[in-house]
Amino acid sequence: MDGLLIRDRLSWEGLRRVLSRATGRPEAEILPLGQGSVTDLAVELYVHDVGFQMDVSLYKLPAEGHEPLAFAARVAAVAGCAVLHAPEPDWGCSPTVWVLIEPDGRSALVDQVDLDAEDIEIDLRTTRALPVSSFGR
């Protein structure tokens, strides 16, 4: 399972197009969780009212060769808007920290405004560089 948050709200068909281009899979194989066959890419979607509006969880992505931050960067580029992804576990970040990835490929660590809020809002004043170990991925 992999997940990310997309800043802008897309239609279901728009999200399928973005995920198809980012994964190289046909749109017909990208379906809501619980629908389709065991080989389809299953998508669980939660929509927020403000902040990063689409919380997307993906199931049945290939484990081998799948680099989560590179995938998130492809989604940002194809969607044309920023996405958030959780930092790598070995970075030692708190649960309020996200990796912000812009459509042009720039990325940085940022902090969530309120961890207890249902909506995911980011304080852009907290923008800072990713750990050196993440470069070149």
Side-chain angles (χ1 to χ4, degrees):
M1 196 267 300
D2 195 8
L4 50 86
L5 291 124
I6 301 173
R7 184 187 61 212
D8 298 344
R9 192 174 298 195
L10 307 171
S11 66
W12 170 248
E13 289 307 315
L15 178 62
R16 283 178 74 187
R17 266 190 305 280
V18 165
L19 294 176
S20 174
R21 290 184 58 198
T23 62
R25 296 180 76 160
E27 287 182 40
E29 292 180 6
I30 300 171
L31 297 168
L33 184 64
Q35 296 182 17
S37 72
V38 295
T39 60
D40 292 327
L41 177 61
V43 179
E44 186 173 31
L45 177 64
Y46 181 80
V47 179
H48 297 278
D49 291 326
V50 297
F52 280 72
Q53 296 191 3
M54 297 185 79
D55 187 342
V56 181
S57 296
L58 304 162
Y59 300 86
K60 302 179 195 160
L61 281 167
E64 191 170 319
H66 175 73
E67 171 55 51
L69 291 176
F71 173 70
R74 288 193 306 274
V75 170
V78 173
C81 66
V83 302
L84 294 176
H85 196 283
E88 296 291 329
D90 62 347
W91 294 357
C93 296
S94 79
T96 63
V97 174
W98 293 90
V99 178
L100 172 69
I101 304 169
E102 298 287 350
D104 64 6
R106 289 178 297 134
S107 56
L109 290 177
V110 292
D111 293 328
Q112 185 173 334
V113 172
D114 180 2
L115 187 60
D116 295 324
E118 218 174 282
D119 296 324
I120 310 297
E121 293 186 79
I122 296 300
D123 183 353
L124 293 177
R125 295 172 297 173
T126 65
T127 301
R128 56 206 180 276
L130 298 179
V132 173
S133 64
S134 68
F135 294 106
R137 289 184 174 206

